[in-house]
Amino acid sequence: MYSSVVEYIRQLFESADDFIPLHSPIFRGNEKKYLIECIDSSFVSSVGKFVEQLEELVAHYTNSCKAVACVNGTNALHLALTLVGVKSGDEVVMQPLSFIATANAIAYCGAHPLFIDVDKETMGLSPYKLQSWLIENAEKKNNICYNKTTGRVIRACVPMHTFGHPMLIEDLVNVCNEWGIELVEDAAESLGSFYKEKHTGTFGKIGVISFNGNKTITTGGGGMLLFQDEKLAARAKHLSTQAKVPHKWEFVHDDIGYNYRMPNINAALGCAQMECLPEFIKNKRELAFAYRSYFNKIGITFFDEPVNCKSNFWLNVVLLNNRQERDEFLEYTNANGVMTRPIWQLMNRLSMFKDAQCGDLTNSEWFEERVVNIPSSVRIAPIQLN
Ligand SMILES: *Cc1c(COP(=O)(O)O)cnc(C)c1O
């Protein structure tokens, strides 16, 4: 059966024998034009018109009040957590089913991750599981949430929209508000994904997008912070540029800042990619629907977008029946030039986070055994749907 899967994927990507990657970037817009323009201007570093232009494009697309560009998504997450007040010794809620960057950003703050399970329907942090964990294990004093076991402050929560599928963000907003927990959305994978027609990353205080080479659009390396508050955005820009106080020549810095600003040369690439984003999303959704009908027909579960959501289908997911079938699928496809990958090992299993406190993780463990990502790049020539 797996040979027909390989054949079908080859047909979709119109490639009889070339290696088919999981997700490769595609440059068929104004990328070269803007890069040359950027080089000719000599402004290739952290000052230049493309950075502001990219911020405006992303703010407009996501309907955010402001966007602030960073060197990558990981340090954008670090900055976001710092901005909402995460301090050394705090705890931050996250799902164990995520890319390492989320947990690392928490660790950079000197804070501890607290692992809460995902929902079966979304693969994202479960608001209900968080609520019941908090009722059992937390107390609120002066609008600050404390972990009754460790005595530490549960300062923030970082849900992740896994593979571009929006999690139940509205319900999570309510839980976080009730408990006095700050909400930062890891929307690194979900540019172009909407929950009830509102862009992911715009529900929490800050949202974080990644433009790494394997994401839906790329700036080479890059990230973006989304804000619904001008003041906080201005603070982010200040901290990301070494907290330098504007002056004609004096070097005065008024805080511990970071060198996290996106270079203009990366932003030039990003501006061209943003112009293609609507077309990319359309193309990726067509691919997902072709996969959906194919896998339904052959009896393999395709993970579909959650209800009331429009997903960018960054990486498509099939669910095998168990770890053994998953491994067989991975073996066969990778041996035949079709790149597929399992989901990340759960964060609570990694040596750095093995002592972190966890809620019940049944669903995360269930997904860990079964998820396989299949090739999901934007295709050059859209295929005929059957
Ligand atoms: C890609 C990604 C990031 C950020 O990654 P960078 O490579 O630093 O841009 C953060 N969180 C998740 C879940 C991601 O997939």
Side-chain angles (χ1 to χ4, degrees), residues 245-264:
V245 181
H247 189 280
K248 270 189 203 139
W249 51 76
E250 295 288 357
F251 288 98
V252 179
H253 304 262
D254 63 1
D255 210 325
I256 306 280
Y258 305 92
N259 185 11
Y260 278 0
R261 192 77 174 141
M262 179 188 283
N264 202 41

Side-chain angles (χ1 to χ4, degrees), residues 78-94:
H78 174 217
L79 189 54
L81 292 173
T82 305
L83 284 162
V84 301
V86 175
K87 292 175 198 61
S88 183
D90 286 350
E91 293 182 4
V92 178
V93 175
M94 67 171 284

